[in-house]
């Protein structure tokens, strides 16, 4: 297995996990919080996709799926087109409202773009420094692992929130 194949396999777990978390839930249920100020399932799913989309597009030197493929208009959220969810207020988190179908379709589109990008990488590409503002500088491989880590954490949180809200009663 090549490093790109390994990353592709790992990234494939993200949409599967998020889909299980949001499957069968209404837009209202997806906007429910397990506690005051907590993230909603809708926000977790959206932010997972947005973070991956923005960061992989940056690495690939391409436009984000969010804007290139019209997802920003389909979602119609009350944020600037470049919003990713980082640093959002609790009030803004609550403004992320979307159907499970829309959330998972966007994440699947992002995943397809990620897989296409990973398919272009040779093992030596992973050693290229992409951000020298850190000590040590960040390589392409380290950035991809960081993106994957963030996505898997949020996907896992989504599954946990679903369990808290709908299966712990």
């Amino acid at each position: 297995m090549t490093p790109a194949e390994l990353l592709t396999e790992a990234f494939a777990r993200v949409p599967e996990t998020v889909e299980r978390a949001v499957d069968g839930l209404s837009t209202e249920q997806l906007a429910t919080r397990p506690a005051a100020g907590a993230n909603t399932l809708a926000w977790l799913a959206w932010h997972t996709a947005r973070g991956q989309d923005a960061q992989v597009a940056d690495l690939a030197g391409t436009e984000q799926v969010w804007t290139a493929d019209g997802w920003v208009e389909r979602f119609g959220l009350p944020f600037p087109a470049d919003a990713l969810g980082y640093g959002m207020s609790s009030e803004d988190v609550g403004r992320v409202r979307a159907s499970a179908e829309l959330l998972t379709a966007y994440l699947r589109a992002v995943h397809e773009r990620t897989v296409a990008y990973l398919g272009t990488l040779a093992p030596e590409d992973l050693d290229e420094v992409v951000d020298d503002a850190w000590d040590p500088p960040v390589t392409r491989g380290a950035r991809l692992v960081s993106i994957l880590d963030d996505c898997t954490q949020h996907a896992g949180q989504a599954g946990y929130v679903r369990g808290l809200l709908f299966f712990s009663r």
Side-chain angles (χ1 to χ4, degrees):
M1 182 178 271
T2 67
E5 290 169 337
L6 179 66
L7 286 165
T8 298
E9 177 65 27
F11 271 102
R13 311 294 169 97
V14 174
E16 294 169 0
T17 302
V18 171
E19 286 172 5
R20 280 192 305 274
V22 303
D23 184 52
L25 299 179
S26 69
T27 301
E28 264 320 298
Q29 289 172 314
L30 292 168
T32 303
R33 296 174 191 256
N39 293 328
T40 66
L41 278 163
W43 184 89
L44 286 164
W46 173 78
H47 174 66
T48 300
R50 286 295 296 125
Q52 182 177 338
D53 188 9
Q55 293 184 76
V56 171
D58 184 55
L59 286 174
T62 61
E63 186 177 352
Q64 295 174 28
V65 173
W66 182 246
T67 52
D69 295 349
W71 291 99
V72 65
E73 290 85 12
R74 286 182 233 178
F75 274 77
L77 298 176
F79 313 123
D82 63 351
L84 303 175
Y86 295 112
M88 281 190 160
S89 68
S90 178
E91 185 176 314
D92 283 341
V93 167
R95 289 186 175 118
V96 177
R97 298 182 62 86
S99 69
E101 294 78 16
L102 185 62
L103 291 162
T104 58
Y106 172 50
L107 182 54
R108 280 284 172 193
V110 169
H111 176 71
E112 288 175 18
R113 182 74 64 87
T114 298
V115 169
Y117 170 66
L118 293 172
T120 70
L121 298 177
E124 58 272 12
D125 295 330
L126 300 175
D127 293 327
E128 179 187 356
V129 172
V130 295
D131 187 350
D132 59 8
W134 297 90
D135 186 19
V138 178
T139 64
R140 185 176 309 279
R143 178 63 46 85
L144 285 165
V145 169
S146 176
I147 296 166
L148 178 61
D149 179 57
D150 190 58
C151 289
T152 57
Q153 286 189 53
H154 288 305
Q157 290 165 4
Y160 184 70
V161 168
R162 180 186 176 110
L164 284 174
L165 290 171
F166 304 109
F167 297 106
S168 62
R169 296 177 183 174

